[in-house]
Amino acid sequence: MSQDKPFSRKAFIDEPGLTGARWWQDELQADPDPFGRRNALKSMLWIGGGVLSAGLLASLVIDVGGGDDLDMQSAVDALELQREEGWDVGAMNKVLDFPGAVSQDARGQTPDVTTLRSLSSGLAPTQAELKPYYVSTLFQAIIDHNNAALLTQVRPVDTPEMETAFDKARALLSLFHEASSPRDIALVVDLPGPQAVAFAAGLAELFEPVFLFDNWPHPAGVVPSHLVLGAALFHAPLLAESAPVRQRPAPPVFVVDSQRLNPYTDDPDTFDNRYVARLPSAERLKALGVKHVLYINDQAGPELQEADDLNEDFVAYQAAGVDTKLLSLRDFSPAFSEDMAALASGVSDASSQSSAVAPPLRTGVPLIFFYGGSYLSHPAFWGNYGWYSTPRSAHAMPPVRPVSRGADFAPTPRPTVFSSRAVGGAVSGVGKQKPSGFGRVSLSSSYHPSAASYAGGRSGSFGRGVSFGG
C-alpha cells in the first residue's frame, strides 16, 4: 500500500461520549482516490480488518473512551455492502467451489452467459398475482455490473441429493394428480438450496415456483448460495418447459433455502450472508384462494417444526383459517422389491385396484419413491392428511415403513430470535426482519497515534471483519 497516501488525524478528541469521524471525512475530501473507490477500498482489507467507505460512514458509531485509542465500530447489512463493493468484497482472490458441477444442464445443453443472465427473468412467476412475492435477489447478483467474476465462475450443479429431491417431488406430484390437481393449496419447500430448486422443478408442471432467495453468494459465505445458482442453471430448461403446460390458476410453491439460517459464530474468515424468508401474509394467501399450506422439509425424529423465521407466519396462517401441516420428505422411500414385482404382474385384485400409482407424468420420469415405502401405501397420504380424497385412498394399505406425524402438525407460537416479542439469549433488538447481528458485517478498527495506522478488529458476538484470507 505504499502508493496510498497515509492517513493522518486532523483532530484529537478525548471527551467521553462524543462521536465523529471528521478526520476521516476531511482526508477523503482532501485526497480523492486516484485508483477508484472500489479497488482502493478492497486493497485495504485484511483478516479481521474493517471496510470503510464514504457510503458507509453514515452508519459508523465511534466509541471514545479517553486516552489515545479511538475505536470505530459499525454494523452494516452484508448485502448492502456487497452491492456497494461487489459480491466478493474482501475475498477477490478466492474462487468458488462447486461440488457436483457438471458441464451440461438437465436437457444435455451447455449453458452460456446468456442463459445465466436470463435466470432472473426466466425463473420469475408467470402469473401476475404471484409476481409480487418473487424474491430475485440471488439471481440479480448475476447481472450486477460489479460482479463480472461471478458470471464467469457459476457452473451447473447436479448432485445425488438433488436427484433424490427431484424424484420425491415427482412422488408427491403424483398424489396431487390423483386428487384432481387442487388449486386451493400452497406449498412451502424448505430444503438446502440446491435440493429445493430440484424439488421445485419436479413439481413445476402443476405448481408455480416462487423463489425466495434473498442474498448474494460470497467466497467465504455462511450460506453457499452459489450452489443454488448452479442448481437453478441446471434445472432452468425443465422449469421453462413446465410453465406453458401448467393449468391456471396454478397453486404456488414457495421455495426457500434452509441453509439461510446456518449456524454462525464470530469468525473473521466467514462472511455472514444469512437472511430470513419472506412469505406472503395470511391475508394475501387467502386472497390467492389458498385454504391449505403444506410445509415441506427433511426433518427426522418425533419433534417436527417449522424453521424459526417461519413460526410467526405459520401461526398467523392457522389463526386466519389457513390449515397448515408439515411433510417430512423422509416419509417417501423406495418400494420393496416384492411390491414392484406385484405391480409388474398384477397378482391380485387388491393390488390391481391400488397399484396404478399415478397418471403418466409429462416428463416421463417413473416413480421411485412412495409414501410409506410401498405403492400400496402411497395413496394413504390423503387418508392421513385429510384435505382431499381419491378413489385409491379408501383402499390404501397402511405404510409399511414408519412415517412422521407431520399430518398432525399444527404451528404454535414459540420464542425465537426472529420473534416480534422480546426474547432472551445473546440476541437483542430483535425485529421481524432480522435479529441484531444477523446477516450483518461489523466494521471495526482502532486508531493508534504512535503508529498512525489502523489495526483491524472485531466487535461483539456477531461482529467480524470482512476480509477473508490473504
Side-chain angles (χ1 to χ4, degrees):
M1 294 183 59
S2 59
Q3 295 177 322
D4 294 336
K5 181 177 179 179
F7 297 107
S8 62
R9 181 172 56 190
K10 298 298 186 183
F12 180 78
I13 301 173
D14 62 357
E15 299 179 24
L18 294 181
T19 61
R22 182 177 293 110
W23 63 271
W24 174 271
Q25 298 180 55
D26 289 348
E27 195 68 23
L28 284 179
Q29 293 172 1
D31 183 30
D33 184 357
F35 302 106
R37 178 176 56 82
R38 182 172 183 256
N39 290 336
L41 286 170
K42 285 191 173 184
S43 71
M44 295 167 58
L45 301 177
W46 61 87
I47 294 179
V51 174
L52 298 172
S53 74
L56 300 175
L57 285 173
S59 63
L60 283 173
V61 178
I62 306 178
D63 299 323
V64 183
D68 290 337
D69 288 343
L70 187 62
D71 292 333
M72 297 195 308
Q73 299 173 356
S74 174
V76 298
D77 183 85
L79 181 59
E80 291 179 6
L81 181 65
Q82 288 178 291
R83 282 173 168 158
E84 184 168 349
E85 307 300 339
W87 71 281
D88 56 351
V89 55
M92 290 188 299
N93 296 324
K94 285 201 170 183
V95 178
L96 294 169
D97 183 28
F98 282 87
V102 294
S103 60
Q104 296 180 328
D105 61 28
R107 283 293 179 250
Q109 303 298 314
T110 301
D112 55 20
V113 171
T114 301
T115 308
L116 266 172
R117 290 187 179 276
S118 66
L119 283 180
S120 180
S121 58
L123 298 181
T126 59
Q127 297 177 99
E129 57 269 31
L130 295 180
K131 287 181 181 293
Y133 308 112
Y134 173 48
V135 179
S136 63
T137 307
L138 177 61
F139 303 128
Q140 288 290 330
I142 289 290
I143 56 179
D144 188 277
H145 68 280
N146 277 341
N147 297 345
L150 176 61
L151 190 65
T152 63
Q153 291 190 43
V154 176
R155 303 167 62 188
V157 168
D158 184 30
T159 66
E161 293 80 10
M162 288 172 58
E163 293 173 4
T164 296
F166 182 89
D167 289 336
K168 290 187 176 183
R170 306 305 288 175
L172 182 62
L173 181 66
S174 73
L175 292 168
F176 281 101
H177 277 314
E178 289 187 36
S180 301
S181 304
R183 300 289 189 266
D184 62 352
I185 188 169
L187 307 186
V188 178
V189 175
D190 196 358
L191 300 171
Q195 288 119 274
V197 171
F199 197 86
L203 295 170
E205 68 184 49
L206 174 58
F207 290 87
E208 174 116 41
V210 184
F211 295 107
L212 308 179
F213 302 134
D214 199 15
N215 72 342
W216 277 11
H218 190 277
V222 177
V223 184
S225 298
H226 58 290
L227 301 180
V228 182
L229 287 174
L233 188 59
F234 179 80
H235 279 295
L238 290 185
L239 291 164
E241 291 169 10
S242 298
V245 303
R246 280 193 295 267
Q247 296 183 17
R248 296 194 178 211
V253 50
F254 298 102
V255 187
V256 297
D257 181 358
S258 62
Q259 296 178 104
R260 71 191 181 280
L261 305 182
N262 274 352
Y264 171 78
T265 56
D266 191 20
D267 182 357
D269 294 323
T270 306
F271 190 89
D272 188 359
N273 60 341
R274 296 175 297 169
Y275 61 98
V276 297
R278 291 192 275 157
L279 290 176
S281 66
E283 293 74 18
R284 293 188 175 186
L285 270 188
K286 293 180 75 173
L288 293 172
V290 173
K291 298 179 181 178
H292 311 287
V293 168
L294 183 62
Y295 174 65
I296 300 168
N297 63 21
D298 199 25
Q299 288 182 349
E303 298 298 326
L304 300 177
Q305 64 183 24
E306 73 287 339
D308 285 351
D309 62 335
L310 302 179
N311 175 253
E312 288 192 338
D313 292 313
F314 286 2
V315 169
Y317 293 169
Q318 197 80 358
V322 179
D323 193 18
T324 303
K325 297 184 184 298
L326 184 151
L327 170 65
S328 171
L329 289 188
R330 297 178 187 239
D331 292 346
F332 289 89
S333 52
F336 290 117
S337 58
E338 54 266 28
D339 289 341
M340 300 311 294
L343 176 61
S345 60
V347 169
S348 67
D349 291 340
S351 67
S352 64
Q353 291 174 7
S354 303
S355 62
V357 291
L361 301 174
R362 291 186 179 93
T363 59
V365 178
L367 292 188
I368 298 173
F369 293 91
F370 300 88
Y371 182 73
S374 168
Y375 71 90
L376 294 175
S377 66
H378 193 58
F381 177 87
W382 291 125
N384 286 350
Y385 281 81
W387 287 334
Y388 315 109
S389 61
T390 70
R392 296 200 311 127
S393 61
H395 304 285
M397 292 178 56
V400 297
R401 291 191 176 101
V403 295
S404 71
R405 298 182 61 84
D408 300 326
F409 167 83
T412 56
R414 68 177 190 272
T416 75
V417 296
F418 303 97
S419 303
S420 56
R421 302 173 296 278
V423 179
V427 181
S428 61
V430 177
K432 177 62 177 173
Q433 295 303 313
K434 286 184 181 180
S436 174
F438 185 92
R440 296 178 70 79
V441 175
S442 290
L443 311 179
S444 176
S445 58
S446 298
Y447 182 71
H448 300 283
S450 60
S453 64
Y454 277 80
R458 292 174 289 145
S459 170
S461 60
F462 288 92
R464 59 267 179 211
V466 291
S467 68
F468 314 94

